[in-house]
Amino acid sequence: MSKVICYPRCCKPSAYEDGTFYFEVFSTPEENLTNVGHVGVQILKEMHRSQIHPSVPAFDFLMIALGVVSADKAVLRSECADGWTRQIELTVYVHQYNKWLQEKKQLEEMLRFLTGDFWTIYFEKLDTPIYPEKDYPLRSNDCVCLLSGGMDSLVGAIDLHEEGRNPLFLSQIVRGDADHQRAYAAAVGEDNLCQWSNNVKKHGRTENSTRARSIIFFAYALLASYGIDYNEVGRKEIIVPENGYISLNIPLNRMRIGSLSTKTTHPVYMRMLQNIWDDLDLKVDLVLPYKYKTKGEVLVECKNQEMMRSLIFGSTSCGKYQRHGLRHCGECVPCLVRRAAFLKAGLEDDTENGYCVELLKGSNSQDVAVATMACIEVQNYGIERFIKSALSFCDLTERIEYLGVVSRGVEEMRMLLIEHDVL
């Protein structure tokens, strides 16, 4: 069991135990110890700059999310018995202690699904309020929309604008994406972007799998929702523009089952998160407009093709983008899905800085190999055999929709591989 304790300065431990990871939230620790790091140092300033005044439960969710991403970075999978599955004991401080005790089991189950690890969450009560108390006037925006700098989020921004919506965009600052995030937001409005970071810092090695990374994105979006008013039915919307094929992220082979495939916007995770927010009476809805579309269909059906085509090639898809000097590798699964989407949309792929690997034929990438085998399996045995039990979470109607998304997504991939003489 790996222990992680996340605390604000007012709750600083009297002693620091060896073998436990500590993270001070919202400030840099005074102690210079190898097992003491920090997280979220800038977020209070960023909230103030964006004039956001959250509710107490939303601020508590932020502190929980900061604790989760800290633990996700601190505990190394390679040091676990099976080289992957971790047992994490996380302690976080919250204002509404009793409320969060009621959510403990559901929160642990959600994190178990999201990261594939065993989580035990302990709550400590914050007796001294630390959430921002200054009130601000509400913005004129009518929804919050995640803006990652990727293809889907760009199309999401464009489509909302074309529908007459006025979104407040929420971005996480990532090296290589920040300028594009600002450009995309500016293309459809002004003064409409909250661009925040979590900045997890620790001594020594960090875990790079980061299966929990999306929880802080949603925590930030929840905070941003307190900058806008409720709609006519007394709710607020957080738009999550992610295509259904990537959300489901069906394992391409048996070696990628479970948490070996990311679940950052998986329907099960989204449902669990929504349930927790509903239990807390936050009156905020997660809306996934592209959940039944492939990435290619998102491009084809974009409501302003001219604007999309002028911006889309600066978007980022690659999971190894920073490792390759801010270039797409061209052969990981996200890159393959990206390239297949351009082909589906009939767009000549003019991705900024090109791909490290332009030609897929002869590639020694495992991702290209498993994508090829997946296409062959679907062609020979049908989509049902490929999916296996991956859609067991949904009812019959939803299953039909998702089955179609996966089938069409694999077909987009197959056409790309044929284009490159791999198939």
Side-chain angles (χ1 to χ4, degrees), residues 24 78 84 151 158 173 192 214 226 251 263 318 338 385-386 423:
E24 189 166 306
S78 61
W84 185 259
M151 294 169 69
I158 294 171
I173 298 173
N192 59 354
S214 68
Y226 285 87
K263 296 179 171 64
C318 184
R338 173 191 181 88
R385 175 160 168 176
F386 171 68
L423 278 174

Side-chain angles (χ1 to χ4, degrees), residues 280-341:
L280 297 169
D281 197 28
L282 296 176
K283 295 182 172 61
V284 174
D285 294 320
L286 293 162
V287 179
L288 285 82
Y290 306 136
K291 64 181 180 179
Y292 298 139
K293 294 183 181 181
T294 67
K295 203 177 199 74
E297 290 164 350
V298 170
L299 294 189
V300 169
E301 297 171 24
C302 178
K303 296 176 180 178
N304 187 328
Q305 289 287 315
E306 183 179 355
M307 183 183 292
M308 182 268 286
R309 290 167 190 242
S310 70
L311 296 168
I312 196 72
F313 299 113
S315 63
T316 305
S317 304
C318 184
K320 305 170 185 176
Y321 187 67
Q322 294 186 23
R323 275 184 264 170
H324 290 290
L326 305 185
R327 289 185 70 195
H328 288 76
C329 75
E331 53 187 359
C332 66
V333 170
C335 278
L336 296 177
V337 174
R338 173 191 181 88
R339 300 175 76 167

Side-chain angles (χ1 to χ4, degrees), residues 158-387:
I158 294 171
D159 285 352
L160 287 170
H161 177 68
E162 294 299 309
E163 292 165 8
R165 302 293 299 271
N166 181 21
L168 173 61
F169 295 107
L170 189 284
S171 298
Q172 282 199 89
I173 298 173
V174 178
R175 187 169 66 92
D177 286 343
D179 289 344
H180 290 130
Q181 292 165 353
R182 287 190 285 269
Y184 298 164
V188 296
E190 57 185 26
D191 188 28
N192 59 354
L193 176 64
C194 297
Q195 202 173 28
W196 300 341
S197 63
N198 56 62
N199 196 30
V200 181
K201 294 292 184 182
K202 70 175 288 287
H203 297 278
R205 291 191 299 153
T206 58
E207 173 58 43
N208 292 322
S209 61
T210 59
R211 290 294 186 261
R213 62 185 178 272
S214 68
I215 194 171
I216 195 65
F217 210 166
F218 290 112
Y220 285 170
L222 178 60
L223 293 179
S225 74
Y226 285 87
I228 67 174
D229 204 354
Y230 294 97
N231 60 23
E232 64 276 3
V233 296
R235 309 283 293 184
K236 300 179 183 184
E237 291 181 326
I238 293 176
I239 312 299
V240 185
E242 182 83 284
N243 73 83
Y245 184 78
I246 288 294
S247 286
L248 290 169
N249 205 11
I250 304 293
L252 294 178
N253 67 11
R254 294 180 183 179
M255 299 300 292
R256 295 170 181 242
I257 62 174
S259 60
L260 294 174
S261 292
T262 57
K263 296 179 171 64
T264 51
T265 60
H266 193 281
V268 172
Y269 171 44
M270 293 292 90
R271 184 191 305 160
M272 290 175 159
L273 183 57
Q274 185 70 65
N275 286 342
I276 291 172
W277 286 3
D278 288 346
D279 287 349
L280 297 169
D281 197 28
L282 296 176
K283 295 182 172 61
V284 174
D285 294 320
L286 293 162
V287 179
L288 285 82
Y290 306 136
K291 64 181 180 179
Y292 298 139
K293 294 183 181 181
T294 67
K295 203 177 199 74
E297 290 164 350
V298 170
L299 294 189
V300 169
E301 297 171 24
C302 178
K303 296 176 180 178
N304 187 328
Q305 289 287 315
E306 183 179 355
M307 183 183 292
M308 182 268 286
R309 290 167 190 242
S310 70
L311 296 168
I312 196 72
F313 299 113
S315 63
T316 305
S317 304
C318 184
K320 305 170 185 176
Y321 187 67
Q322 294 186 23
R323 275 184 264 170
H324 290 290
L326 305 185
R327 289 185 70 195
H328 288 76
C329 75
E331 53 187 359
C332 66
V333 170
C335 278
L336 296 177
V337 174
R338 173 191 181 88
R339 300 175 76 167
F342 284 135
L343 185 63
K344 167 71 175 179
L347 291 175
E348 183 177 346
D349 190 346
D350 195 22
T351 291
E352 281 187 11
N353 301 318
Y355 298 102
C356 296
V357 176
E358 292 284 354
L359 302 176
L360 298 178
K361 185 177 182 180
S363 168
N364 59 5
S365 164
Q366 289 187 349
D367 284 6
V368 174
V370 297
T372 303
M373 293 306 297
C375 291
I376 292 172
E377 181 180 357
V378 171
Q379 183 175 351
N380 290 344
Y381 302 106
I383 193 67
E384 290 278 4
R385 175 160 168 176
F386 171 68
I387 286 178

Side-chain angles (χ1 to χ4, degrees), residues 10 12 32 54-55 88 94 100 126 148-149 164 168 174 177 187 198 246 266 306-307 341 348 389 401 404 412 420:
C10 61
K12 185 169 65 172
N32 185 22
S55 69
I88 300 173
V94 292
W100 285 105
L126 257 173
S148 65
L168 173 61
V174 178
D177 286 343
N198 56 62
I246 288 294
H266 193 281
E306 183 179 355
M307 183 183 292
E348 183 177 346
S389 62
E401 293 282 6
E412 288 181 14
H420 282 256

